[in-house]
């Protein structure tokens, strides 16, 4: 499941909408909406995200949050390590090997490290 799919599913459930009913309201097939929720489809088009926000009554920060999640929710990520240190290529491959075995806490710990590295790498 992608971050967008998890959030969409939670929002739909919180509003008491069925998958089929929401799909019909959006003019989509239930299979496509299910695939979006479960991360079996790529990121949704911006227009669809806006339709979803309208249907769910999302405004301001909630709508922006859903748009941001859509941007980072492509289930297949390609990393180009060309021109980087060999250790960067090793890191990507090692992560790919173990990612599906990591516990949620381990994933969050890695994300904390990456956020700290991103903050320290920003020009001041």
């Amino acid at each position: 499941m992608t971050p967008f799919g998890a959030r969409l599913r939670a929002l739909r459930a919180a509003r008491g909408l069925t998958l089929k009913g929401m799909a019909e309201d959006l003019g989509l097939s239930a299979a496509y909406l299910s695939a979006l929720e479960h991360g079996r489809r790529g990121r949704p088009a911006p227009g669809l995200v806006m339709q979803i926000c309208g249907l769910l009554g999302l405004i301001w920060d909630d709508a922006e949050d859903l748009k941001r999640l859509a941007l980072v929710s492509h289930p297949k990520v390609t990393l180009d390590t060309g021109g980087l240190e060999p250790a960067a290529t090793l890191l990507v491959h090692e992560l790919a090997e173990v990612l599906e075995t990591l516990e949620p806490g381990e994933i969050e710990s890695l994300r904390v490290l990456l956020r700290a590295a991103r903050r320290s790498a920003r020009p001041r």
Side-chain angles (χ1 to χ4, degrees):
M1 190 172 283
T2 64
F4 175 83
R7 182 75 176 131
L8 178 59
R9 188 176 200 174
L11 289 166
R12 180 176 60 73
R15 284 161 176 77
L17 297 171
T18 65
L19 184 77
K20 183 178 178 186
M22 184 172 180
E24 287 175 3
D25 289 344
L26 293 169
L28 305 172
S29 71
Y32 177 76
L33 189 57
S34 177
L36 270 180
E37 285 188 359
H38 289 92
R40 292 186 303 268
R41 294 296 299 215
R43 72 177 65 100
L48 177 57
V49 176
M50 293 306 298
Q51 273 185 280
I52 291 168
C53 288
L55 178 68
L56 297 175
L58 301 181
I59 59 171
W60 305 106
D61 291 344
D62 292 331
E64 289 302 316
D65 183 51
L66 194 63
K67 287 187 237 178
R68 182 187 58 77
L69 289 175
L71 291 174
V72 298
S73 286
H74 198 290
K76 294 187 181 190
V77 178
T78 301
L79 297 173
D80 181 1
T81 60
L84 299 178
E85 293 292 320
T89 302
L90 287 172
L91 172 65
V92 170
H93 284 273
E94 289 168 351
L95 181 59
E97 287 175 7
V98 301
L99 186 58
E100 66 184 26
T101 67
L102 295 176
E103 297 293 328
E106 293 170 318
I107 292 171
E108 188 54 33
S109 294
L110 289 171
R111 291 185 65 227
V112 166
L113 287 171
L114 292 172
R115 284 192 300 268
R118 186 172 43 212
R119 279 193 300 272
S120 67
R122 289 185 181 153
R124 301 191 191 256

